Amino acid sequence: MKEATQAATVRVFIALAPPDDAKEELERVLRPAYGAHPRMRWNRVEDWHVTLAFLGELPVETVPPLRTPLADLAASRPPVRLALRGGGHFDERVVWTGIDGDVEGLHLLASEVRTAVKECGVPFEGRPLRPHLTLARARRGDTSSAVDTAAGLAAFAGRPWEAARLHLVGSNIGRGPGPIHYRDIASWPFTDPAAE
């Protein structure tokens, strides 16, 4: 019975992904922290993303109706120009890097995404957007690794990049010792009609 329940739901969020070269730039800066704190649960570089709306665990049948409104939204606006900058931690456990650049445009995009989701009848907890990219989680009782890693990112200033696509993402729901894995359910390029 439990397997049927898991197969009937998927954990979903809508996000932007930095391009590979921006991720590689940050990964180089993090290498000393990887060596110094190997017990942290580091997110896979290929899964790094900036969440615009976290929808949580949804019945699988509620996901397909999101595709058309999100595709239309991406087709109606230009890419957002962003950069990865600095670092911090939540509750001395979750390490993140911040988002710089067109943060106002990022907030506007997140608002448009959340409106599209609500119009599809999908309920979600509309927490305020705190633009960041999660990098790692410290194990319980180990606050020094997150604090040290965040401090090591304080001076980091990544190169600017354009968020080329809007991603509808599903994640595995297993909570084993390894990292969470994400997969695109679908993604759509941002295309500015005014530029054509």
Side-chain angles (χ1 to χ4, degrees):
M1 186 68 151
K2 188 174 181 179
E3 285 181 29
T5 303
Q6 287 180 344
T9 64
V10 62
R11 183 170 291 173
V12 178
F13 58 91
I14 301 162
L16 303 176
D20 289 344
D21 57 345
K23 291 188 286 190
E24 289 163 3
E25 181 181 37
L26 176 55
E27 185 181 26
R28 282 191 299 273
V29 171
L30 285 171
R31 280 189 189 132
Y34 292 157
H37 305 290
R39 296 208 49 205
M40 286 187 71
R41 293 184 313 224
W42 293 96
N43 289 2
R44 298 180 329 148
V45 173
E46 58 268 33
D47 288 338
W48 284 352
H49 64 275
V50 179
T51 302
L52 301 174
F54 179 73
L55 310 186
E57 199 73 27
L58 297 178
V60 292
E61 65 271 11
T62 64
V63 176
L66 292 169
R67 290 174 181 255
T68 298
L70 292 174
D72 291 346
L73 174 59
S76 72
R77 62 179 351 274
V80 180
R81 191 161 177 81
L82 304 170
L84 303 175
R85 181 176 305 272
H89 58 83
F90 298 129
D91 301 324
E92 299 183 333
R93 288 201 60 223
V94 178
V95 181
W96 51 265
T97 188
I99 306 299
D100 200 8
D102 186 6
V103 177
E104 184 178 329
L106 181 64
H107 279 274
L108 178 59
L109 174 60
S111 176
E112 293 170 354
V113 163
R114 292 167 182 216
T115 296
V117 168
K118 288 177 186 173
E119 288 174 354
C120 287
V122 177
F124 73 99
E125 189 177 331
R127 296 179 186 164
L129 180 67
R130 294 174 68 180
H132 70 281
L133 188 153
T134 300
L135 301 170
R137 288 168 179 76
R139 299 193 183 277
R140 294 201 186 280
D142 172 23
T143 57
S144 65
S145 59
V147 173
D148 290 349
T149 300
L153 288 171
F156 173 68
R159 67 159 194 82
W161 47 272
E162 287 191 343
R165 302 182 74 81
L166 183 64
H167 298 265
L168 178 62
V169 184
S171 69
N172 63 346
I173 57 173
R175 293 291 183 215
I180 298 170
H181 294 274
Y182 303 106
R183 63 175 174 79
D184 270 3
I185 295 169
S187 71
W188 306 272
F190 291 108
T191 52
D192 185 2
E196 295 177 359

